[in-house]
Amino acid sequence: MLSEPKYKFLAAEVKKRSGLVLGPEKGYLIESRLAPLARAEGLSGPEAVVDAMMRGDQRLCAAASEALATHETFFFRDKTPFELFSEVMAPALRQARGGRALKIWCAAASTGQEPYSLAMLIRETSGLGASILATDMCAHVLEKAKAGLYSQFEVQRGLPIQRLVQHFEQSGDSWRVKPELREMIRFEPGNLLDDFSRYGAQDIIFCRNVLIYFDVEAKAKILNRLAALLPPDGYLVLGAAETVVGLTDSLKPVPGQRGLYVRNQPDTQIAPAAARAVA
């Protein structure tokens, strides 16, 4: 186990780089995540990694922050957000945009299952066009996402056989997303702690299951900056355990729709299709 000074240093460094809050109960996480990094670097263990970080090794500081980030994801995870996309968000925005392609941002996209799930829904919906931006702070998960190559176990998690056959090609023991889906998505490095105004206005933002790892101050700042990218009729999708309540007045929940938020301002109106869905 790390000594208290080393634990505090590691926690401060990781929070500065990624926003992740390492509480005192996270000792097991540090050991399990930093041990493989230590082996890869030829170091004796997690403590040696932290020692190198304390000596100013910036490369290891970045690598440790990436290693401690959580990348759990699978296709159509939690189902509800994707049902809301098909039944609420897409119909409302398609009508409001008059045929213009939607702009969608998947923040903290990990290994790509979320943006690819959305791309499948878009391809399956007649008359709906969209471009998807997918970002993550970790380079190695972005590389996997770009490749679009998944194991049998990964495609079995949340992906019906019909969609597997329709949208993937078998590659040995693995499955690769077909080119027409990969072309819909632009993968870029991106950290929610950094300035993301360069992405411009987004019709829909998926930012799920990541804010739970931030402290209250960071959550509030990120939510306010996300709200600034949404048009009055745009949507923000958060994870089931996340909320804007008590954190920002810039956003408000869509009544009756778990995890779905719109901008909170006098001219914000829930589009007709959404209003019917929540009635």
Side-chain angles (χ1 to χ4, degrees):
M1 294 294 291
L2 297 179
S3 66
E4 184 176 353
K6 291 180 181 180
Y7 199 111
K8 287 183 176 179
F9 173 86
L10 176 64
E13 186 66 28
V14 170
K15 182 179 178 182
K16 179 181 71 175
R17 289 176 175 269
S18 70
L20 176 66
V21 176
L22 289 176
E25 77 286 355
K26 296 294 186 180
Y28 74 94
L29 178 70
I30 292 171
E31 292 292 324
S32 64
R33 299 283 180 83
L34 293 191
L37 176 60
R39 288 194 295 272
E41 295 290 331
L43 299 172
S44 59
E47 187 171 1
V49 172
V50 180
D51 288 340
M53 292 170 64
M54 295 178 76
R55 291 194 297 269
D57 189 325
Q58 296 302 305
R59 185 183 61 81
L60 265 185
C61 286
S65 297
E66 289 194 11
L68 288 165
T70 298
H71 301 295
E72 170 66 10
T73 187
F74 51 89
F75 291 102
F76 296 95
R77 182 182 181 183
D78 301 330
K79 292 187 179 179
T80 297
F82 301 99
E83 292 172 353
L84 289 173
F85 176 80
S86 295
E87 298 170 9
V88 176
M89 293 179 270
L93 289 170
R94 177 167 51 181
Q95 180 179 357
R97 298 297 180 270
R100 177 177 69 76
L102 303 181
K103 295 183 66 178
I104 302 171
W105 175 26
C106 292
S110 187
T111 46
Q113 283 91 327
E114 179 179 84
Y116 283 127
S117 297
L118 288 169
M120 291 179 220
L121 292 178
I122 293 163
R123 291 283 298 183
E124 294 166 8
T125 304
S126 176
L128 180 64
S131 62
I132 302 172
L133 169 67
T135 63
D136 199 279
M137 61 168 282
C138 298
H140 70 280
V141 299
L142 275 181
E143 287 304 312
K144 178 177 175 63
K146 287 179 184 178
L149 186 65
Y150 298 96
S151 68
Q152 186 69 40
F153 172 75
E154 288 171 318
V155 297
Q156 286 176 334
R157 297 187 72 195
L159 193 61
I161 185 64
Q162 298 90 337
R163 283 195 168 122
L164 176 62
V165 173
Q166 181 180 356
H167 298 295
F168 289 73
E169 298 169 329
Q170 193 157 15
S171 177
D173 294 332
S174 301
W175 293 83
R176 188 181 299 277
V177 179
K178 288 185 177 179
E180 56 263 31
L181 248 63
R182 297 205 306 274
E183 290 167 2
M184 295 172 62
I185 305 170
R186 186 172 88 255
F187 291 99
E188 290 187 7
N191 189 324
L192 286 171
L193 295 182
D194 297 337
D195 176 35
F196 47 71
S197 61
R198 67 184 183 277
Y199 301 147
Q202 301 291 324
D203 296 304
I204 301 173
I205 300 174
F206 277 69
C207 186
R208 301 193 301 141
N209 307 311
V210 61
L211 294 182
I212 54 175
Y213 301 108
F214 291 70
D215 63 22
V216 170
E217 181 181 1
K219 287 178 185 177
K221 289 180 178 178
I222 292 168
L223 286 169
N224 284 326
R225 292 191 289 131
L226 290 174
L229 296 189
L230 290 174
D233 59 352
Y235 296 95
L236 170 67
V237 185
L238 298 180
E242 298 165 327
T243 182
V244 305
V245 177
L247 294 170
T248 179
D249 293 326
S250 300
L251 296 154
K252 64 181 179 182
V254 175
Q257 304 292 15
R258 178 171 58 89
L260 191 60
Y261 300 86
V262 293
R263 277 174 52 183
N264 188 18
Q265 57 182 28
D267 62 343
T268 296
Q269 299 292 329
I270 299 176
R276 288 195 299 271
V278 302

